Amino acid sequence: MSNEQPATETVDPVDTTVDITPLEHAAAVREAFRAGVTRPVEWRRGQLKAIAAMLAENSGEIEGAVRADLGKPGAEALVTEISAVQMEISDALKRLDKWMKPRTASLSAMTLPGKGQVVRDPLGTVLIIAPWNYPVNLLLAPLVGALAAGNAVILKPSEMAPHTSAVMAELFPRYLDRRAVRLVEGAVEETTQLLTYPWDHVFYTGNGAVGRIVMETAAKHLTPVTLELGGKSPVFIDGTADIDAVASWLAWGKFLNAGQTCVAPDYVLAPPEVAAALVPALKAAVEKLYGADPQASDDFGRIINDRHLQRVTGLIDQRKVAFGGVSDAADRYISPTVLTGVTLDDPVMQEEIFGPVLPVITVADRDEAVEIITGRDKPLALYVFSTDEATQEEFTTQTSSGGLVFNAVVLQLAVSTLPFGGVGASGMGGYHGEYGMRTFSHEKAVLRKSGKGPGGALKLAMPPFSPWKSRLLRRVLKG
Ligand code: NAD
């Protein structure tokens, strides 16, 4: 198989693999890895180009599926699902040779002469488990890293986004090399079965409860995991911030995908005067994006299913609604909602909201905000709106979060030279750009010696240790 050719020409049009079990798929792709299919750089490039072609040639169908699952506007799907992955691919294609090039490691006096190298080895056969909220992006962006690193891959899309899962299942065998890259559809039963396999890596994106199951199951085989989890990402705003600018960032980042974004601002901490100015500015910013009635706007998304609609609706305390607060189960719609007068004990502050509801909590100052943030689970993202250097410094040095963004939201995802991942309860490991390559590689230590016996300074470290040799050795080791 020539891997630089368009992938459509490289695969057998008859799919003989549809009736086999998830574990048989896993075993099949492992065979391909063992046979060396995935290692050549040409194969890796060919597969990355095949994903790009799959997205470009089927963008209409993919956008339609994402709209059916999440009511996501086509243009939004294009930006956040399709072109986000295209960008990862073009970055990987541009830099793959550099990423794969062994890095030279300098040697010490004891280990000279010789040559030290760090060689990036593919891990082997990896499982990627994706969630429903960005069902294309969060399935394919990790795949870019896994393929760039030369692995064989099984992907498990979320059953909660069934239209997208079905479209991907149909497209994958048409574009990708089925010997080594397969998509297995399914829900808890299939995922549970897949997790029993001795993977070389499991990459999971989703909630922390399932993240714990993934890690526990992977531990049985000492399989390393990447966990891309969520949590409550706070926003702190101080008096130096331009409130209209803050409002337009928050209205976009919070209500994008109807709030079902892992790095969406979850709640706001602000001094009372800032909070008071923010609410009307937010209302105006929301109207600017979605009009006076967001339900009538084609640009505002829907809640994934009834269970989540009921859960998010239950977090809205009607007595605290500053604007919004409308929920229409028949349409899976919840309006962009801002809550004020919220306390840390309110139900809305006990779990990740993952919906279009933004609570605003007043704090005395940045120290109180830092205390609240550091007293809770480490968030995936922390957003600070302040132009004050001391404030930026305090948040940089005194808080821990997956990412920290000043004077913007969500945009960190689009910077492929920054690692994307959580810390503590928001996850472990990261990806995007070279960080994806690293996640799916083993950095192997390679030491090359000449073929002669031990010599040079190393002789000093070998018996017999005469008094003069011991003295010399001590001098050498002291440097
Ligand atoms: P989900 O329900 O689609 O679950 C994710 C995956 O786990 C699915 O493929 C599903 O089949 C599988 N799964 C579900 N239950 C399982 C079980 N018992 N055993 C094994 N596998 C199981 O998605 P979700 O968890 O509702 O996703 C939302 C959460 O994901 C939020 O907390 C969000 O913050 C987080 N998230 C994080 C990121 C990130 O990049 N860090 C991105 C998106 C979402």
Side-chain angles (χ1 to χ4, degrees):
M1 183 178 288
S2 162
N3 297 299
E4 282 286 17
Q5 287 169 14
T8 36
E9 290 174 22
T10 69
V11 292
D12 173 1
V14 182
D15 188 348
T16 52
T17 61
V18 283
D19 285 331
I20 68 175
T21 67
L23 292 183
E24 285 168 333
H25 281 297
V29 300
R30 168 157 290 172
E31 265 323 299
F33 179 76
R34 288 219 177 108
V37 168
T38 64
R39 283 183 187 263
V41 66
E42 300 76 28
W43 185 87
R44 304 182 196 194
R45 287 187 178 283
Q47 294 305 295
L48 294 174
K49 286 179 186 167
I51 305 171
M54 177 176 89
L55 292 173
E57 289 163 19
N58 302 280
S59 60
E61 204 183 338
I62 294 169
E63 283 173 29
V66 177
R67 182 178 271 282
D69 286 326
L70 286 148
K72 203 176 278 199
E76 191 178 305
L78 189 64
V79 174
T80 62
E81 304 273 15
I82 295 174
S83 69
V85 178
Q86 300 276 33
M87 271 163 50
E88 279 286 311
I89 293 171
S90 59
D91 186 55
L93 286 172
K94 218 177 295 162
R95 298 181 212 283
L96 190 57
D97 289 337
K98 192 170 156 224
W99 293 348
M100 287 177 69
K101 202 168 163 215
R103 274 174 300 126
T104 304
S106 58
L107 300 186
S108 65
M110 278 291 172
T111 50
L112 278 167
K115 191 174 175 192
Q117 279 185 323
V118 180
V119 173
R120 283 182 175 161
D121 245 356
L123 290 172
T125 311
V126 306
L127 172 65
I128 294 172
I129 305 173
W132 50 266
N133 61 329
Y134 287 85
V136 178
N137 184 337
L138 299 174
L139 184 74
L140 300 184
L143 178 64
V144 172
L147 293 177
N151 295 281
V153 187
I154 294 285
L155 293 110
K156 216 298 290 171
S158 176
E159 71 282 12
M160 282 169 63
H163 296 90
T164 313
S165 177
V167 166
M168 288 292 142
E170 191 256 321
L171 293 175
F172 255 69
R174 281 176 39 204
Y175 283 85
L176 286 138
D177 183 350
R178 211 166 45 232
R179 292 174 301 169
V181 188
R182 293 188 192 185
L183 181 143
V184 175
E185 285 193 277
V188 175
E189 188 188 333
E190 290 78 5
T191 319
T192 304
Q193 205 185 110
L194 279 169
L195 282 171
T196 62
Y197 194 75
W199 301 100
D200 295 301
H201 194 88
V202 176
F203 187 105
Y204 167 81
T205 305
N207 68 75
V210 175
R212 284 168 174 80
I213 297 174
V214 168
M215 195 167 173
E216 210 178 312
T217 321
K220 297 200 171 80
H221 297 293
L222 289 179
T223 295
V225 294
T226 301
L227 300 179
E228 297 283 343
L229 311 178
K232 292 181 83 63
S233 295
V235 181
F236 173 69
I237 310 165
D238 75 8
T240 68
D242 172 339
I243 291 299
D244 288 331
V246 177
S248 54
W249 279 110
L250 292 184
W252 171 65
K254 176 71 195 187
F255 301 118
L256 177 76
N257 204 25
Q260 301 161 114
T261 302
C262 55
V263 288
D266 189 274
Y267 63 97
V268 170
L269 300 171
E273 64 285 2
V274 173
L278 178 70
V279 174
L282 262 174
K283 191 166 188 294
V286 169
E287 261 191 59
K288 217 166 162 184
L289 296 180
Y290 304 114
D293 178 12
Q295 191 164 11
S297 165
D298 269 352
D299 297 336
F300 187 70
R302 293 296 182 266
I303 304 299
I304 185 73
N305 59 25
D306 196 51
R307 182 169 64 82
H308 277 286
L309 183 121
Q310 300 305 339
R311 182 186 61 77
V312 177
T313 304
L315 297 177
I316 302 173
D317 180 343
Q318 287 297 335
R319 293 165 305 177
K320 299 188 174 180
V321 171
F323 66 85
V326 177
S327 178
D328 177 353
D331 190 22
R332 285 194 280 130
Y333 168 78
I334 297 178
S335 61
T337 299
V338 169
L339 306 176
T340 49
V342 175
T343 71
L344 294 174
D345 299 326
D346 287 0
V348 75
M349 288 304 294
Q350 310 315 313
E351 62 183 83
E352 180 181 3
I353 298 168
F354 224 56
V357 178
L358 184 66
V360 178
I361 296 176
T362 55
V363 290
D365 51 24
R366 71 170 188 232
D367 291 338
E368 189 184 351
V370 167
E371 203 177 306
I372 290 171
I373 292 162
T374 52
R376 306 170 72 97
D377 282 344
K378 292 177 183 176
L380 185 58
L382 169 53
Y383 302 112
V384 176
F385 286 90
S386 171
T387 54
D388 177 52
E389 272 180 31
T391 300
Q392 295 199 1
E393 181 63 13
E394 177 161 345
F395 278 95
T396 306
T397 57
Q398 304 302 314
T399 65
S400 176
S401 55
L404 169 63
V405 179
F406 294 108
N407 302 315
V409 294
V410 177
L411 218 55
Q412 70 273 32
L413 276 173
V415 185
S416 65
T417 45
L418 286 174
F420 179 67
V423 57
S426 57
M428 61 184 70
Y431 69 126
H432 285 188
E434 190 169 6
Y435 295 96
M437 173 84 182
R438 289 176 68 171
T439 283
F440 288 105
S441 302
H442 166 60
E443 301 208 317
K444 184 161 69 181
V446 177
L447 180 62
R448 292 177 210 278
K449 297 287 281 181
S450 66
K452 296 186 188 134
L458 186 62
K459 277 261 184 208
L460 289 176
M462 291 180 170
F465 294 109
S466 60
W468 74 266
K469 226 170 115 177
S470 298
R471 274 200 304 279
L472 196 58
L473 179 66
R474 281 173 210 286
R475 207 172 302 151
V476 169
L477 288 182
K478 268 188 198 150

